[in-house]
Amino acid sequence: MPAPEASPRVHVIGAGIIGACCAWWLRREGFDVTLIEKDLPGDGASLGNAGNIGLASVPPLNMPGMVRKVPSMLLDPMHAFTVRWRYLPKAIPWFIRFAMNTRPASVEAISDARAALLSHAGDAFDTLLGEIGHTEMITPTGLIQAFESENGIAKSQYALNLRRNRGVRVEEMTGDQLRELEPALSDNIKGGVWYPDVRLCINPQRMTKLIAEAFVAAGGKLVAATVKG
């Protein structure tokens, strides 16, 4: 991957999985790339990532009806959604755009865009890991979405159809069928969905470091620094 003198220069900020992959592909295409990371590659968010290669993650977070659920989310101390009230005035414009995009037409358009991106994700990882010699880092495990309520699948049909209509394989199963796939599932699970095409990265931190190392070996520059402006 020689970089001629006239190669366009690119700086990639952050050597998490996204930055490392971007740097690798840009270097692969002949760019003169500098990857900047204040810590070590993969030691930030990628270290704690679940490693799900979400090929079925077509529906957006802001689904129809979600705005009505915000008060109960805020009152639930165990919910992931929280607001720093002093920051709320600055956040309001973002919340308004978020709410506007819960309309069905927006959700369909967002799902189209996500599906278009995700349709390439599996092949892109296969190509990258094949070129650096570490295809073992991703394995085809599939993904279970389990429900403790009898009507869990019925209530999820809108999101499931967003996936089905965009080519994602969706298999509805009973609780017993899911337990055949994963015996550790509780007897409280009444049913759920199996996404057979979803893959798992066995170690996101390790994979990120391997990609960064391959990037450097291919002539890329990794710089330990903090970007302030």
Side-chain angles (χ1 to χ4, degrees):
M1 299 180 189
E5 288 297 322
S7 293
R9 297 180 63 195
V10 179
H11 289 76
V12 177
I13 302 171
I17 187 61
I18 295 174
C21 286
C22 288
W24 164 263
W25 282 105
L26 287 163
R27 183 72 193 107
R28 184 179 185 268
E29 294 300 312
F31 288 86
D32 179 4
V33 186
T34 300
L35 178 59
I36 305 172
E37 171 57 55
K38 66 183 179 65
D39 299 311
L40 294 173
D43 279 7
S46 296
L47 169 62
N49 194 285
N52 176 23
I53 311 300
L55 305 182
S57 300
V58 168
L61 177 63
N62 45 335
M63 294 285 279
M66 185 176 184
V67 174
R68 295 194 301 271
K69 300 177 183 177
V70 168
S72 62
M73 292 179 185
L74 289 173
L75 293 172
D76 183 355
M78 298 302 292
H79 202 281
F81 180 57
T82 185
V83 174
R84 294 180 181 176
W85 296 108
R86 286 183 294 180
Y87 189 76
L88 187 59
K90 291 184 178 180
I92 284 176
W94 183 91
F95 279 120
I96 292 173
R97 293 195 301 271
F98 184 91
M100 293 293 289
N101 281 315
T102 62
R103 295 174 297 181
S106 295
V107 170
E108 293 283 343
I110 294 169
S111 296
D112 285 340
R114 290 170 66 92
L117 289 169
L118 291 168
S119 66
H120 299 285
D123 291 341
F125 271 120
D126 288 344
T127 299
L128 191 161
L129 294 174
E131 290 181 353
I132 69 172
H134 287 286
T135 56
E136 79 283 356
M137 295 307 299
I138 291 180
T139 182
T141 57
L143 178 72
I144 291 173
Q145 181 181 9
F147 302 104
E148 292 185 341
S149 60
E150 297 285 356
N151 62 349
I153 294 179
K155 291 170 66 175
S156 299
Q157 283 303 313
Y158 179 71
L160 296 179
N161 286 332
L162 287 174
R163 295 179 170 96
R164 290 188 182 101
N165 294 339
R166 290 159 181 83
V168 176
R169 288 200 294 165
V170 176
E171 299 180 19
E172 297 182 14
M173 294 188 173
T174 65
D176 288 339
Q177 288 173 323
L178 289 176
R179 278 183 283 275
E180 289 182 14
L181 286 174
E182 179 48 75
L185 283 176
S186 163
D187 290 338
N188 293 333
I189 300 302
K190 308 302 181 187
V193 181
W194 167 243
Y195 304 105
D197 296 327
V198 172
R199 307 180 190 181
L200 179 72
C201 171
I202 60 173
N203 188 327
Q205 180 194 35
R206 174 67 175 153
M207 186 168 81
T208 304
K209 290 184 182 298
L210 289 170
I211 295 170
E213 289 170 3
F215 160 76
V216 172
K221 294 182 285 291
L222 177 62
V223 175
T226 299
V227 176
K228 297 183 177 179

